[in-house]
Amino acid sequence: MTDPFPLPTRAAGLARLHGFLPRAGLAYAAKRNNDLAGHPHVSGLSPWLRHRLVTEAEVIAAVQAAHPGGADRFLAEVWWRTYWKGWLELRPAIWSDYRQGLQAALDRVQVEAGLRARWEDACEGRTGIDGFDHWARELGATGYLHNHARMWFASIWIFTLGLPWELGADFFLRHLIDGDPASNTLSWRWVAGLHTPGKTYLATADNIARNTEGRFAPQGLATVALPLRGAPHPAPRPAPLGDTPDPTAPALLLITEEDLSAEPVVACPVAGLAVLSHPAGRSPLAVAPGVLAFTTAALDDALARLAAPQAQRFGAAELAALVDHAAALGARQIVTAHAPVGPVARLLAEVQRLAEVQRLAEPRGLSLVRVLRPHDRDAWPHATHGFFRFRKAVM
Ligand SMILES: Cc1cc2nc3c(=O)[nH]c(=O)nc-3n(C[C@H](O)[C@H](O)[C@H](O)COP(=O)(O)OP(=O)(O)OC[C@H]3O[C@@H](n4cnc5c(N)ncnc54)[C@H](O)[C@@H]3O)c2cc1C
């Protein structure tokens, strides 16, 4: 990954995938942990995967075709993404608990002596910790960090700096172009010892120096990482099955930032196309301009491929107008890709409620249809326990 703020188009994502294919096998397995300038040993595909400009299924198929002898290490990483999404999908309360914890931490910032300054120093790379300060600035400048840098950063944030983990997860979500409720929240919880009970991730100076080829030699890092205390995991709910559109009913196709491959998801008469645009929903604080710009341009790219550049856009405060727009076009269903747990899913739940209210007045009225991709439908039910059990079922 070399370009800061990569091009938010499907064509650019596919070009990166094809450019990376020769390195997805043994080379990736050998070097993926090295965080070097320009990130030559990893794919940098996450911004496109995050918005499904390129899908997991496409990446897996292309890598399998290029490496018939196997590229298990790389494929396992792509499956980690699906695993985290499935795990959160089965336990949505973990996301709402995180949002509450974040609000509580932001309230603490208002009243606790020195906390604001320590938090701002960490976000702006002014702690004096070698490596950590570099990654804070790299994240701001490029919207990306190598996986190992994310692990070290989160570990230092929690165990050396003693900052609330939710503030760190929020800092990432506001600045990562690939910022993703599932991968981000659950990875931070994993580092903190809240995911696998009793197991934390401790960043050490040796490990950092080795995997950065001596670029960084931090001093004074925490030498123990006691797990943070948290509630036990909620029992998993059944995985969603996805809805089936009525093939005869006119549909408003609704595009969201969660799925921009712009493949035709359904076969039904199309009354119109609209966009639900909510890139700022990741955080109660301001999301980095580069992240907003990437998401907005990615939506534009999807609309261009659908030959609908003028499709009407609706924000979080305009959901009633969206439902009215669908009704005015004569649509009887609003069809959209299933949004995994996160801000967009919450908005879709509200669209569904508004559509139900409308149906009380007009029985032939609207319904919301959330179409689940086969990749998610087949994999998510296996995200009940740890990754290794999941991997056995899906790979
Ligand atoms: C604290 C922390 C926060 C993170 N936050 C996010 C986030 O908000 N969004 C996000 O997409 N990933 C997140 N990750 C996971 C991982 O770091 C990134 O997906 C990866 O670094 C993206 O770079 P890449 O595309 O070059 O990865 P590659 O190494 O080339 O891997 C290929 C693809 O596999 C998936 N993948 C790789 N590693 C992981 C992983 N550990 N977990 C889940 N999927 C993975 C990604 O989709 C990635 O694009 C986080 C990890 C940590 C430790």
Side-chain angles (χ1 to χ4, degrees), residues 83-94:
Y83 169 71
W84 283 138
K85 278 171 88 172
W87 202 92
L88 193 62
E89 198 68 22
L90 305 191
R91 300 161 187 86
I94 296 276

Side-chain angles (χ1 to χ4, degrees), residues 135-147:
W135 296 313
R137 288 193 295 267
E138 181 183 359
L139 178 56
T142 67
Y144 175 86
L145 285 182
H146 183 278
N147 180 58

Side-chain angles (χ1 to χ4, degrees), residues 127-152:
T127 65
I129 300 175
D130 197 24
F132 185 93
D133 288 349
H134 169 90
W135 296 313
R137 288 193 295 267
E138 181 183 359
L139 178 56
T142 67
Y144 175 86
L145 285 182
H146 183 278
N147 180 58
H148 236 113
R150 297 181 200 210
M151 289 162 58
W152 296 320

Side-chain angles (χ1 to χ4, degrees), residues 96-147:
S96 21
D97 287 354
Y98 155 68
R99 290 297 290 238
Q100 274 174 21
L102 173 60
Q103 194 49 59
L106 291 169
D107 293 344
R108 273 179 62 193
V109 166
Q110 303 293 336
V111 293
E112 202 172 301
L115 181 56
R116 176 182 293 279
R118 291 196 296 123
W119 171 49
E120 288 177 353
D121 283 350
C123 294
E124 283 161 33
R126 288 190 309 245
T127 65
I129 300 175
D130 197 24
F132 185 93
D133 288 349
H134 169 90
W135 296 313
R137 288 193 295 267
E138 181 183 359
L139 178 56
T142 67
Y144 175 86
L145 285 182
H146 183 278
N147 180 58

Side-chain angles (χ1 to χ4, degrees), residues 28-345:
Y28 179 83
K31 298 272 179 82
R32 62 176 285 272
N33 282 337
N34 294 3
D35 174 25
L36 306 181
H39 309 302
H41 303 304
V42 289
S43 72
L45 278 168
S46 53
W48 292 277
L49 280 166
R50 161 66 182 91
H51 296 289
R52 285 196 158 158
L53 284 162
V54 178
T55 67
E56 293 88 335
E58 285 176 308
V59 172
I60 290 169
V63 170
Q64 283 172 336
H67 295 274
D72 280 7
R73 192 66 241 198
F74 182 79
L75 293 172
E77 295 307 322
V78 179
W79 280 113
W80 263 105
R81 175 178 174 73
T82 305
Y83 169 71
W84 283 138
K85 278 171 88 172
W87 202 92
L88 193 62
E89 198 68 22
L90 305 191
R91 300 161 187 86
I94 296 276
W95 171 251
S96 21
D97 287 354
Y98 155 68
R99 290 297 290 238
Q100 274 174 21
L102 173 60
Q103 194 49 59
L106 291 169
D107 293 344
R108 273 179 62 193
V109 166
Q110 303 293 336
V111 293
E112 202 172 301
L115 181 56
R116 176 182 293 279
R118 291 196 296 123
W119 171 49
E120 288 177 353
D121 283 350
C123 294
E124 283 161 33
R126 288 190 309 245
T127 65
I129 300 175
D130 197 24
F132 185 93
D133 288 349
H134 169 90
W135 296 313
R137 288 193 295 267
E138 181 183 359
L139 178 56
T142 67
Y144 175 86
L145 285 182
H146 183 278
N147 180 58
H148 236 113
R150 297 181 200 210
M151 289 162 58
W152 296 320
F153 189 93
S155 179
I156 294 169
W157 181 287
I158 297 168
F159 300 116
T160 300
L161 298 173
L163 288 164
W165 75 268
E166 294 95 337
L167 290 180
D170 177 66
F171 174 60
F172 269 20
L173 266 191
R174 285 185 286 122
H175 290 88
L176 283 169
I177 299 179
D178 65 30
D180 174 69
S183 286
N184 191 59
T185 314
L186 298 177
S187 298
W188 275 84
R189 283 174 55 88
W190 174 80
V191 170
L194 293 165
H195 184 73
T196 313
K199 191 169 181 302
T200 54
Y201 177 74
L202 180 67
T204 65
D206 276 358
N207 185 266
I208 293 172
R210 193 172 53 254
N211 286 297
T212 60
E213 294 185 353
R215 282 200 299 156
F216 306 114
Q219 291 178 352
L221 299 189
T223 52
V224 284
L226 295 178
L228 304 190
R229 274 205 295 275
H233 297 152
R237 68 174 181 180
L241 300 171
D243 305 326
T244 309
D246 176 344
T248 63
L252 176 78
L253 296 188
L254 183 62
I255 308 297
T256 78
E257 63 169 292
E258 296 296 333
D259 196 318
L260 297 177
S261 66
E263 291 162 351
V265 279
V266 284
C268 57
V270 175
L273 210 138
V275 175
L276 179 59
S277 147
H278 189 40
R282 294 178 180 197
S283 169
L285 302 181
V287 171
V291 170
L292 295 179
F294 185 93
T295 309
T296 306
L299 278 161
D300 287 343
D301 178 63
L303 294 181
R305 279 179 282 116
L306 287 161
Q310 305 304 336
Q312 208 160 322
R313 286 163 194 255
F314 297 88
E318 297 162 326
L319 303 182
L322 166 65
V323 171
D324 290 346
H325 178 65
L329 288 174
R332 297 225 337 267
Q333 49 186 348
I334 299 176
V335 178
T336 191
H338 179 96
V341 168
V344 174

Side-chain angles (χ1 to χ4, degrees), residues 306-392:
L306 287 161
Q310 305 304 336
Q312 208 160 322
R313 286 163 194 255
F314 297 88
E318 297 162 326
L319 303 182
L322 166 65
V323 171
D324 290 346
H325 178 65
L329 288 174
R332 297 225 337 267
Q333 49 186 348
I334 299 176
V335 178
T336 191
H338 179 96
V341 168
V344 174
R346 195 176 56 76
L347 295 186
L348 288 182
E350 179 59 8
V351 170
Q352 182 177 35
R353 193 190 67 76
L354 290 165
E356 275 163 15
V357 169
Q358 209 233 30
R359 224 173 30 243
L360 291 177
E362 162 55 86
R364 273 172 39 87
L366 279 167
S367 56
L368 178 71
V369 178
R370 281 168 279 205
V371 180
L372 192 60
R373 284 180 180 274
H375 177 86
D376 299 332
R377 193 192 53 224
D378 296 344
W380 286 355
H382 299 291
T384 49
H385 294 77
F387 177 72
F388 293 98
R389 191 192 286 207
F390 173 82
R391 174 188 171 148
K392 247 178 144 175

